[in-house]
Amino acid sequence: MMLVVKTKKLAIVDCYISILWIGKDSSSDKESILTILQVLGDLLSVGTDRRIRYMISKGGSEALLQTLVDTARTDSPDYDVLLPLFRLLAKVGLRDKKFGQKALELEALDVTLILARKNLSHSQNLLHCLWALRVFTSSVTTGAMLGINGAMELLFKVITPYTQKRTRVIRAATEVLAALLKSKSNSRRAVNRGYVTSLLWLHQDWHHQDVANTYVLIRRALLLSLKHIANLRSGREAFLAAQGMEILFSTTQDDDLETDVNKLSSKPGLDRPEEELMQYEAMCLELSCSFEELESKPADDLNFEETQHAKHYHIPTAASPKQHCLTEDQRSWGQEREDMVQTSLLSMVKMGRSAMHPASKKGPGNTAYQNMQSNGLGINSSGKEIPDIQASLKQDAWDIDVISCPMMSASFSNSTRPTETAEVIDKLLQTHPKHIPFHDPSLYMAKARRTRSVADFKRMAFPDLWGHRPPPFAQSMLERKCGLQRIKIFEDVRRLIQPSDVINKVVFSLDEPWLLQDTASDCLRFSSKFESGNLRKAIQVREREYDLLVNTDVNSSQHQQWFYFQVSGMRAAVPYRFNIINCEKPNSQFNYGMQPTVYSVKEALLGRPTWIRMGYEICYYKNHYRQSAAVMGGASKKCFYTLTFVVTFPHNEDACYLAYHYPYTYTALLTHLDILEKSVNPKQVYFRQDVLCQTLGGNSCPLVTITATPESNSADHLEQFRE
């Protein structure tokens, strides 16, 4: 019965379309046409889109367009017929992909433009004409033809400065204009006729006057018009020449740009039962802790919510005198009393930098270090004071750069003090803690000399050589403060419109190996010339802000996400902002509370060789950079994303490593396998290493067999072993 009713309604639609076609060739009276339009309007207003699509398949769009042309070309067009006809055209045209082309062929475009020009002072009639034009411009070809016929000039007569009158007409006109400017020819025409300045002025006027945000859709359409124009190079040049950046920047100071956070997908669920993860606890201790349910307690070592977000420190200018208070993650690094062996170890590392720079002890680094101590590094979790280990460091006397990134060769031929440096490294290795599981620095160094890298690295990262332990505590996810992304985007925009404090100095580049970093300056020193290191270029933007570019994955022109690099020459308790500006993933866990990992060489020498999750003011968002079309082979340009975070280091003149996650090198794999093989009982565990193949880089790909050793040499046990 339901099917019969639906079939009858479609038959009625078909019947009335036929009557409409017949009526255009006869002297059909006004009442008949109004009746047909009324019935069709009622039938198409309820139910699904099936009726509209059926009507389109039966030539309904052509019949309505032809009726429009015939009615409009009479001596005195009857708007009692035209208005319901326009409404029906707007409804059908939204579902007809070829509607614009049909309107062009039947000359309905010219007719509608003529009617719109005649009704500039009649709001109701003009509004219906604009609705039809909006549907016609769904086709870029039709939009380009409307632009040739003067549609944009007509629209600018309709769009006025801020007013509370005729706002429905103005909104429709701005939406038609935004649709027209999707056509490149219309955008060029808009640039040549100076419409960019007019659009900026109109947007600024509506933005400032619309304090109640009542007409956001009008402002949005004006911004879309500017966006379409800016897709052209000439449009961008006109936009900048009209001070578009400055105007939009000033108008967005009270707008909320933090919309992307609301659109982020929810956190995915586990792909297996949680109890199954327990078997991996030995390898990944963090899997055994529910970080979401972790609540900071008064006696905990970390309390990020109370400390890191108590006060935000932003770095837009170099003249700001503020300094961020010390965070709990740095505070936790100074909470363990050191053994005398570890403290005496530090005296070996004093290489005479103070003799080379006698004034450095009284420089700003010393003051910053004292400020850091006063902020609580000497207080443990129970609130009691601990012995002042920092005083024994004599930090300004450290020559830590060679220590933190030693050469693979024991000769240290490139070092300024080869003999002395080699002796210090040897002493450090001799006193190295033996309780780091599956790590042997001497074995690691031997393996590293045989590892082949795409880049010809001669140095080792200190965390890889020295080793590292898991953190002694669990860290909760970092909660991002609302409105932070808005601040970061504004700081990026401010670079372009207020460049007075922008340095833009390249301080590290793999492409320019001759570029030497000035050790006497206050800028950080960067390095990534070690295994798994990934930093291509570092640009100092402001005094304590750096743009970083990372390399793509090996044998690939994409996948830029991993970073691992060393920084040194920092001052303690001073916030540094890092922007990795060529990431390519559209979203990241850094938007959900993930933090970069940081490893401090000085902390490792004090007996805390641990990667710590650090950083605050962390955002991940799309930036304005695009990949060159030449790189993409003429394909559409790839968008890039920025990961930005701020780190406050706990020591002066330290060497710290920053990474996306805990690094695990190929050399570490080989070292672990050798140590593991020696650690098993061959009477119980059968462990064998073979070479499966050679990698493209020339390294051996290990094949490891681990199973139970046969209970005896009997045929049954050996057969069981083979199976």
Side-chain angles (χ1 to χ4, degrees):
M1 186 66 178
M2 181 72 69
L3 180 61
V4 174
V5 172
K6 288 185 177 179
T7 305
K8 286 183 177 179
K9 290 182 178 179
L10 293 179
I12 295 173
V13 172
D14 196 3
C15 177
Y16 276 96
I17 292 172
S18 302
I19 296 173
L20 199 59
W21 274 113
I22 296 172
K24 74 181 183 64
D25 295 325
S26 64
S27 56
S28 182
D29 61 320
K30 171 182 175 180
E31 288 74 15
S32 300
I33 296 178
L34 285 175
T35 302
I36 295 172
L37 295 177
Q38 179 66 38
V39 173
L40 288 175
D42 292 341
L43 287 172
L44 302 181
S45 296
V46 294
T48 63
D49 293 341
R50 182 188 176 201
R51 298 177 190 175
I52 296 179
R53 293 194 175 92
Y54 179 81
M55 177 178 176
I56 294 170
S57 67
K58 295 299 182 178
S61 299
E62 292 86 341
L64 294 175
L65 290 169
Q66 188 62 57
T67 304
L68 169 64
V69 172
D70 294 341
T71 305
R73 285 180 173 173
T74 58
D75 294 336
S76 56
D78 192 340
Y79 286 94
D80 291 338
V81 175
L82 287 174
L83 296 187
L85 183 57
F86 275 131
R87 289 194 290 270
L88 196 56
L89 280 168
K91 185 179 299 183
V92 174
L94 291 174
R95 302 293 184 272
D96 191 346
K97 296 181 179 180
K98 298 181 179 180
F99 194 73
Q101 186 63 32
K102 295 174 182 177
L104 179 61
E105 294 173 356
L106 294 173
E107 300 181 353
L109 298 183
D110 295 336
V111 167
T112 306
L113 279 177
I114 292 172
L115 291 175
R117 290 190 180 98
K118 290 181 178 179
N119 289 277
L120 287 176
S121 59
H122 196 295
S123 299
Q124 188 68 8
N125 296 346
L126 178 60
L127 180 62
H128 283 73
C129 294
L130 292 173
W131 286 344
L133 290 174
R134 177 64 185 88
V135 178
F136 294 157
T137 53
S138 59
S139 167
V140 177
T141 303
T142 308
M145 185 59 64
L146 285 170
I148 294 174
N149 294 336
M152 287 195 294
E153 291 78 1
L154 169 67
L155 295 173
F156 272 101
K157 294 179 180 179
V158 179
I159 303 172
T160 65
Y162 176 79
T163 178
Q164 295 183 354
K165 300 178 180 179
R166 303 208 325 164
T167 53
R168 293 183 67 196
V169 174
I170 295 174
R171 172 188 166 185
T174 55
E175 290 176 349
V176 174
L177 180 61
L180 283 174
L181 290 172
K182 290 182 180 179
S183 165
K184 292 184 178 179
S185 61
N186 286 339
S187 293
R188 294 190 189 96
R189 190 174 293 108
V191 172
N192 295 334
R193 297 183 182 181
Y195 290 162
V196 175
T197 303
S198 301
L199 286 170
L200 284 169
W201 180 80
L202 284 168
H203 168 69
Q204 190 176 27
D205 182 64
W206 278 89
H207 179 86
H208 290 318
Q209 300 293 337
D210 184 23
V211 293
N213 292 328
T214 307
Y215 308 114
V216 172
L217 293 177
I218 295 177
R219 292 152 51 188
R220 178 181 181 274
L222 292 172
L223 287 173
L224 279 176
S225 300
L226 289 168
K227 177 183 176 182
H228 295 324
I229 292 176
N231 287 332
L232 298 178
R233 180 175 181 179
S234 59
R236 292 191 292 271
E237 293 173 353
F239 178 80
L240 294 175
Q243 295 186 322
M245 292 295 295
E246 291 81 356
I247 292 174
L248 293 187
F249 183 78
S250 64
T251 58
T252 53
Q253 291 302 301
D254 53 353
D255 284 345
D256 185 10
L257 299 182
E258 193 99 335
T259 56
D260 61 330
V261 176
N262 297 327
K263 296 179 182 178
L264 297 179
S265 58
S266 58
K267 186 176 180 180
L270 298 176
D271 59 352
R272 65 191 68 188
E274 190 170 354
E275 53 270 14
E276 289 188 17
L277 296 177
M278 298 301 294
Q279 60 183 314
Y280 302 104
E281 182 175 356
M283 293 189 298
C284 308
L285 295 179
E286 62 269 23
L287 292 180
S288 63
C289 179
S290 178
F291 291 103
E292 288 187 345
E293 299 176 0
L294 182 66
E295 295 182 0
S296 300
K297 300 178 181 179
D300 286 347
D301 288 332
L302 293 179
N303 193 335
F304 288 94
E305 184 176 358
E306 294 180 4
T307 58
Q308 287 189 326
H309 298 295
K311 179 174 68 176
H312 284 278
Y313 184 98
H314 307 290
I315 321 171
T317 63
S320 178
K322 298 181 180 179
Q323 291 186 353
H324 195 280
C325 60
L326 193 68
T327 56
E328 289 285 354
D329 47 4
Q330 291 106 28
R331 191 176 300 174
S332 65
W333 283 9
Q335 290 177 355
E336 296 179 10
R337 182 180 177 90
E338 310 308 329
D339 296 331
M340 292 304 295
V341 176
Q342 296 299 331
T343 305
S344 63
L345 211 165
L346 298 172
S347 61
M348 304 177 190
V349 192
K350 301 173 184 177
M351 300 296 299
R353 173 168 290 187
S354 58
M356 299 170 61
H357 304 285
S360 63
K361 290 186 178 181
K362 298 181 180 180
N366 222 18
T367 305
Y369 178 62
Q370 293 170 359
N371 291 340
M372 182 182 67
Q373 284 184 314
S374 66
N375 278 328
L377 262 184
I379 306 297
N380 63 12
S381 59
S382 62
K384 298 181 180 179
E385 236 180 80
I386 61 175
D388 188 6
I389 300 170
Q390 310 299 338
S392 67
L393 299 184
K394 302 292 185 185
Q395 292 190 334
D396 290 335
W398 284 41
D399 188 3
I400 201 169
D401 286 333
V402 177
I403 302 297
S404 65
C405 206
M407 298 286 290
M408 292 182 184
S409 173
S411 64
F412 294 92
S413 57
N414 293 338
S415 174
T416 56
R417 300 169 178 265
T419 304
E420 189 175 359
T421 305
E423 291 177 356
V424 171
I425 292 293
D426 289 340
K427 290 180 181 179
L428 292 179
L429 294 179
Q430 290 173 8
T431 56
H432 183 269
K434 300 297 188 242
H435 56 276
I436 294 182
F438 298 105
H439 185 71
D440 183 341
S442 300
L443 178 61
Y444 189 95
M445 183 178 292
K447 294 286 186 182
R449 294 194 192 104
R450 296 194 292 269
T451 297
R452 297 184 180 182
S453 298
V454 175
D456 190 18
F457 298 136
K458 300 295 184 183
R459 294 183 177 273
M460 291 174 291
F462 189 87
D464 301 329
L465 172 65
W466 190 258
H468 50 88
R469 296 194 303 262
F473 45 78
Q475 294 181 239
S476 59
M477 303 291 282
L478 180 68
E479 183 178 353
R480 190 169 75 179
K481 186 177 180 180
C482 182
L484 180 60
Q485 176 144 342
R486 163 196 172 98
I487 296 172
K488 296 302 179 182
I489 292 177
F490 283 164
E491 289 178 3
D492 290 347
V493 174
R494 193 178 290 116
R495 293 191 199 179
L496 300 176
I497 63 177
Q498 298 174 4
S500 58
D501 65 322
V502 176
I503 301 174
N504 272 345
K505 175 185 176 183
V506 177
V507 295
F508 171 80
S509 176
L510 290 180
D511 303 318
E512 303 171 279
W514 60 87
L515 184 66
L516 298 177
Q517 301 187 56
D518 186 5
T519 56
S521 67
D522 290 334
C523 70
L524 296 176
R525 298 186 293 276
F526 292 83
S527 176
S528 65
K529 297 181 180 179
F530 45 80
E531 189 176 357
S532 285
N534 189 22
L535 178 65
R536 188 181 189 90
K537 182 177 287 189
I539 305 168
Q540 187 178 17
V541 180
R542 300 184 178 99
E543 183 182 1
R544 300 186 187 98
E545 181 179 358
Y546 297 85
D547 279 352
L548 309 178
L549 288 92
V550 296
N551 275 317
T552 59
D553 285 355
V554 177
N555 289 334
S556 172
S557 61
Q558 53 185 347
H559 306 309
Q560 292 128 219
Q561 208 74 15
W562 168 258
F563 60 89
Y564 181 22
F565 58 91
Q566 180 208 61
V567 294
S568 58
M570 69 284 291
R571 294 170 57 192
V574 172
Y576 293 90
R577 177 180 173 183
F578 300 97
N579 310 310
I580 301 177
I581 61 175
N582 66 330
C583 301
E584 67 166 12
K585 288 173 58 179
N587 198 3
S588 171
Q589 289 298 319
F590 286 109
N591 274 331
Y592 297 96
M594 179 175 166
Q595 297 171 279
T597 58
V598 180
Y599 184 103
S600 167
V601 172
K602 288 191 175 182
E603 286 294 317
L605 295 175
L606 286 170
R608 294 185 288 269
T610 301
W611 285 96
I612 297 290
R613 291 285 179 185
M614 286 182 62
Y616 52 97
E617 296 187 2
I618 301 175
C619 292
Y620 188 93
Y621 54 88
K622 185 177 179 181
N623 58 38
H624 65 281
Y625 297 109
R626 300 290 182 273
Q627 192 169 50
S628 170
V631 176
M632 298 297 293
S636 58
K637 298 180 181 180
K638 181 173 65 176
C639 301
F640 288 114
Y641 296 79
T642 292
L643 166 63
T644 179
F645 55 91
V646 176
V647 174
T648 305
F649 299 102
H651 297 290
N652 276 330
E653 293 297 329
D654 194 3
C656 292
Y657 289 81
L658 287 79
Y660 181 91
H661 195 60
Y662 311 124
Y664 187 81
T665 62
Y666 171 77
T667 303
L669 168 67
L670 298 183
T671 304
H672 288 176
L673 289 176
D674 278 13
I675 297 176
L676 181 63
E677 184 174 14
K678 296 175 183 177
S679 67
V680 300
N681 184 354
K683 295 182 179 180
Q684 297 177 344
V685 178
Y686 178 85
F687 188 105
R688 187 181 70 192
Q689 289 191 65
D690 297 305
V691 176
L692 177 65
C693 61
Q694 295 293 316
T695 67
L696 294 178
N699 295 306
S700 299
C701 180
L703 172 63
V704 182
T705 304
I706 304 175
T707 186
T709 301
E711 296 180 15
S712 68
N713 292 329
S714 66
D716 292 341
H717 287 161
L718 291 178
E719 182 62 26
Q720 182 184 16
F721 174 74
R722 292 190 188 97
E723 292 178 355

